[in-house]
Amino acid sequence: MPTLTFRVPGSQSPHTYELYKQITTIGRSSENDICIPDPLMEEDHAHIQFDGERFTISVLQRKFSLSVNGRSRRSSTLKHNDNIDLGGTSFQFRMFAEGGSTTSDAQEVDPLEAYRRIYRFSRALLRGDSMQQLLEKLLDQVVEVTQAERGFLILMEGNSPQVAVGRNIQRENLADATQLFSDSIVSQVVKEQKPVIVNDALNDENFSAAASVVNLQLSSVMCVPLSERGKLLGVMYVGNSRVTSLFDQTSLEVLTVFSAQASLLLQNALLVNELELDNQKLNARLDEMKSSGIIGSCEGIQTILNKVRKVATTDVSVLVTGETGTGKELIAREIHRRSNRNKGPFVTINCGAIPENLLESELFGHVKGAFTGAIADKMGKFQAADGGTLFLDELGEMPLNLQVKLLRALEEKKVTPVGDTKQRTVDIRIVAATNRDLETEVKENRFREDLYYRLNVISLHLPPLRERGEDINLLARFFLKKFSAEYNQPVKGFTAQSTITLLKYRWPGNIRELENRVRKAVILSEGTLIDTTDMEIREDQMEPILPLAEAKEQFQSDYIREVLARNNGNRTKTARDLGVDPRTIFRHLEKEQEREEGDEG
């Protein structure tokens, strides 16, 4: 194998670098293939290029020093045993290791020809052949250049070696490959992870008794491990049953380089496979997001979606809570989409948008003449959702008298249209949503406790947009892409400042507000990037960053008020719950009162 031997300044022992690449870089920078801490050498000083025929050394700039065999050069074709000086460091170039010999009648391996083959094979990698074709071509080159009869690429599957490719000198695949190599020799290389050359296997004290060696009448065998970053991938094996002492150190070097090529191929194949799997998962996730309309990767949203997957296939009622604009209807639709009722209707009714005197008719229907204006029979939402899902939005707005009728309809699975006495059976799944705290509504007798527990079998609470972190930017980019295409606008992204603004703004209207602001910005923007002014967000609307002491005081004040409220204003119990002296609570309340009086004044 062609090498450069050199001595690092300050080191007593020489270093040898094998020139196995098409271009090998030399310099003081750690990014070079050969990095030498020589103050007389440039950061990127020179490179050695192999063109398939010869090795050529060149400096990267004319002023950089290069001397070959005592003569200054800018570029020079290298020959065996050339002496090279770069900066203050001397190198020796060797085309092949000296001292190797063969005792067989076979011709000695020509190192330069071997490297020409390696170079040609490296070029073949660019042609886009399949992995199997590339490995077969690689083995063909190995068998031919080493003068073997056959070659094998053997990969580890767990702890068991399995033949991936077996080729003969006629460039044919070996049908009975597993019977044509010595498993004893392979086992030793796998165990020790060191290359082995056997010159006369039938008379070798380590392998002559092996059944595979005897049966195959093996003479010359060479086997090297395939590894990547310390992990054993398999072995490369070549053999000849007619010639003894066929392989020498030069042959081993050639096989080692080809095995390195095979290792890279295999490692790249594994990486490609992993990337393909990751890409499949990502595409599946994106398809899922597109189909559901739910975009987000924050922990809160992922927790919600995990619950949705679990409850969707059941028929239990689900209560979705969260601020206005957080996407409660999208969650309801996702539950329906994943359920066994997905071929049935998904029917929505906003309980807060319909006048009280019409809401009962909207829910349960009415018959002709039931009230003034009822000029024909009308089917209610319950019947329209038969076989599917009924989404009760803004449930907390429903008046108490209708809550009683809703509870009866849910329990009996029957509805009675307004003005009629005949009941209709319905088969529906209920998903309800509200932005109110229904537990508080129950305590204050504005919502029936029995209905609350009937609907709240599974509760899903959607986090507000301000608590979703990077999801804000993810959603903003989604809306930008959607609206720039819809309105044929050349807007491509957000400025750095507007990205910061998106995260600092409190988004009281949540996702709905974000969508509207991005839509407006896309329409009004005069450039390719949306700025803060395009979204019409002022500095005073953004959440200020408080000093730590002030933030701590504010949290403490808010928390004391919360615990006081939970204890119905009982200061002694609040102090006991918080583990503080009651005087602390009194002092806090006095400060609050002084602050309020100061604000009034």
Side-chain angles (χ1 to χ4, degrees):
M1 174 180 291
T3 61
L4 272 185
T5 300
F6 58 95
R7 196 183 303 276
V8 175
S11 172
Q12 298 300 317
S13 57
H15 294 260
T16 299
Y17 185 89
E18 296 175 343
L19 301 172
Y20 64 94
K21 299 176 68 175
Q22 186 176 348
I23 295 179
T24 302
T25 59
I26 308 170
R28 202 170 69 245
S29 169
S30 60
E31 296 181 358
N32 288 291
D33 298 308
I34 301 177
C35 171
I36 301 178
D38 179 355
L40 299 178
M41 190 175 291
E42 304 295 333
E43 289 283 320
D44 300 291
H45 197 104
H47 67 237
I48 296 175
Q49 182 174 3
F50 178 60
D51 63 3
E53 298 288 336
R54 60 188 67 84
F55 288 88
T56 303
I57 186 168
S58 306
V59 290
L60 300 187
Q61 292 188 32
R62 184 183 296 273
K63 63 181 180 178
F64 294 171
S65 65
L66 167 63
S67 172
V68 180
N69 298 323
R71 300 183 64 179
S72 294
R73 304 279 190 185
R74 187 180 180 189
S75 180
S76 178
T77 299
L78 297 176
K79 299 183 294 296
H80 184 61
N81 277 335
D82 272 354
N83 293 310
I84 305 164
D85 291 297
L86 295 173
T89 305
S90 296
F91 302 78
Q92 186 173 41
F93 173 78
R94 289 191 177 94
M95 183 64 74
F96 50 85
E98 295 176 336
S101 62
T102 178
T103 59
S104 70
D105 294 331
Q107 294 182 349
E108 193 173 320
V109 172
D110 179 358
L112 188 56
E113 174 58 25
Y115 284 99
R116 285 172 180 158
R117 289 176 180 273
I118 292 170
Y119 176 76
R120 287 196 291 269
F121 178 75
S122 298
R123 296 290 297 272
L125 295 178
L126 303 175
R127 290 203 291 264
D129 292 338
S130 69
M131 179 60 58
Q132 184 71 19
Q133 290 172 322
L134 287 172
L135 292 176
E136 288 173 0
K137 288 178 179 179
L138 183 145
L139 267 185
D140 289 341
Q141 297 290 333
V142 168
V143 168
E144 189 169 337
V145 78
T146 60
Q147 303 173 52
E149 287 183 307
R150 61 184 73 94
F152 304 89
L153 182 67
I154 301 169
L155 302 181
M156 300 303 296
E157 293 186 8
N159 295 321
S160 175
Q162 302 291 331
V163 177
V165 184
R167 301 283 280 183
N168 61 22
I169 198 164
Q170 287 80 33
R171 300 196 172 200
E172 299 168 335
N173 284 317
L174 296 169
D176 51 352
T178 55
Q179 308 299 319
L180 297 176
F181 65 87
S182 170
D183 50 7
S184 299
I185 295 175
V186 168
S187 295
Q188 178 175 315
V189 175
V190 167
K191 180 180 179 182
E192 298 180 1
Q193 296 193 32
K194 295 179 180 179
V196 165
I197 294 178
V198 181
N199 289 319
D200 188 358
L202 284 169
N203 296 303
D204 189 285
E205 61 180 12
N206 295 319
F207 302 110
S208 60
S212 56
V213 170
V214 175
N215 293 337
L216 294 170
Q217 293 292 293
L218 293 176
S219 295
S220 298
V221 174
M222 185 164 51
C223 186
V224 298
L226 303 175
S227 59
E228 177 66 22
R229 297 181 182 178
K231 180 183 178 182
L232 182 69
L233 302 177
V235 300
M236 187 174 286
Y237 174 111
V238 290
N240 192 307
S241 299
R242 297 179 298 169
V243 181
T244 59
S245 301
L246 175 63
F247 307 122
D248 59 9
Q249 187 62 32
T250 303
S251 305
L252 183 61
E253 289 179 355
V254 170
L255 187 62
T256 300
V257 174
F258 272 111
S259 70
Q261 293 272 14
S263 295
L264 288 172
L265 279 173
L266 294 168
Q267 188 66 18
N268 286 339
L270 292 173
L271 289 172
V272 168
N273 187 52
E274 289 178 8
L275 287 172
E276 286 177 347
L277 290 174
D278 288 344
N279 196 41
Q280 288 172 7
K281 291 178 182 177
L282 179 60
N283 285 333
R285 186 78 187 95
L286 289 173
D287 288 342
E288 184 178 308
M289 284 184 176
K290 288 176 183 176
S291 60
S292 65
I294 301 168
I295 295 171
S297 57
C298 73
E299 184 178 351
I301 289 299
Q302 291 306 308
T303 299
I304 291 290
L305 291 176
N306 285 335
K307 287 184 178 180
V308 166
R309 295 184 191 103
K310 292 176 181 178
V311 305
T313 54
T314 69
D315 249 359
V316 298
S317 298
V318 179
L319 179 64
V320 186
T321 60
E323 296 178 8
T324 299
T326 50
K328 295 187 288 294
E329 183 173 344
L330 286 177
I331 292 294
R333 289 185 180 277
E334 181 66 0
I335 291 171
H336 175 72
R337 188 179 72 85
R338 291 178 172 273
S339 74
N340 299 327
R341 297 174 172 271
N342 56 13
K343 297 192 184 304
F346 178 85
V347 178
T348 300
I349 180 169
N350 188 325
C351 302
I354 301 172
E356 182 178 342
N357 61 330
L358 296 178
L359 184 56
E360 182 179 359
S361 170
E362 286 295 316
L363 284 169
F364 308 125
H366 64 253
V367 295
K368 181 180 178 180
F371 50 83
T372 303
I375 58 175
D377 291 352
K378 179 183 177 181
M379 179 187 293
K381 300 294 186 182
F382 266 76
Q383 286 179 274
D386 191 31
T389 302
L390 176 61
F391 176 52
L392 301 173
D393 198 9
E394 302 300 344
L395 178 71
E397 309 292 330
M398 182 177 287
L400 279 169
N401 66 313
L402 267 183
Q403 292 177 28
V404 177
K405 295 179 180 179
L406 174 61
L407 178 63
R408 185 181 302 118
L410 295 177
E411 290 178 341
E412 296 178 356
K413 296 184 178 179
K414 294 179 180 179
V415 296
T416 304
V418 177
D420 199 357
T421 57
K422 184 180 178 182
Q423 291 185 320
R424 273 76 163 173
T425 300
V426 289
D427 173 26
I428 60 172
R429 196 248 186 95
I430 294 290
V431 178
T434 181
N435 60 1
R436 293 193 179 189
D437 182 350
L438 289 189
E439 287 190 4
T440 300
E441 297 292 298
V442 168
K443 287 178 183 177
E444 297 181 2
N445 297 317
R446 290 194 294 268
F447 199 87
R448 291 184 62 90
E449 185 176 20
D450 46 8
L451 178 60
Y452 171 68
Y453 287 115
R454 178 66 179 77
L455 293 172
N456 189 30
V457 179
I458 299 292
S459 179
L460 302 176
H461 181 71
L462 293 182
L465 184 58
R466 60 184 172 275
E467 295 178 5
R468 290 179 55 179
E470 278 301 320
D471 277 3
I472 297 173
N473 285 325
L474 186 66
L475 284 159
R477 289 193 294 270
F478 170 79
F479 290 135
L480 181 141
K481 185 176 180 181
K482 172 184 174 183
F483 295 134
S484 61
E486 183 177 331
Y487 298 112
N488 195 27
Q489 294 285 82
V491 184
K492 302 298 182 185
F494 295 86
T495 64
Q497 184 56 46
S498 66
T499 300
I500 295 171
T501 299
L502 288 170
L503 295 175
K504 290 177 69 176
Y505 184 59
R506 295 292 290 171
W507 298 109
N510 290 292
I511 300 171
R512 191 174 296 126
E513 180 184 0
L514 174 64
E515 181 178 10
N516 288 338
R517 285 189 182 273
V518 174
R519 185 200 303 266
K520 183 189 300 182
V522 167
I523 294 172
L524 299 178
S525 177
E526 295 181 357
T528 58
L529 296 177
I530 288 178
D531 200 356
T532 301
T533 54
D534 294 321
M535 291 185 291
E536 299 182 352
I537 297 176
R538 302 188 310 275
E539 185 71 28
D540 60 358
Q541 293 177 308
M542 290 185 280
E543 185 74 7
I545 298 176
L546 299 176
L548 186 59
E550 188 177 336
K552 181 180 177 182
E553 182 181 352
Q554 182 172 311
F555 171 79
Q556 181 175 295
S557 177
D558 292 343
Y559 192 59
I560 290 174
R561 281 202 302 271
E562 180 185 331
V563 178
L564 268 170
R566 288 162 65 178
N567 288 325
N568 294 318
N570 188 321
R571 301 174 184 182
T572 304
K573 188 174 187 311
T574 297
R576 188 165 57 250
D577 288 345
L578 294 175
V580 297
D581 189 287
R583 287 174 292 184
T584 302
I585 305 300
F586 285 101
R587 282 196 296 269
H588 166 74
L589 293 175
E590 286 173 0
K591 286 174 65 176
E592 287 287 305
Q593 185 175 355
E594 289 172 4
R595 190 179 296 117
E596 289 173 2
E597 289 174 354
D599 291 341
E600 290 173 2

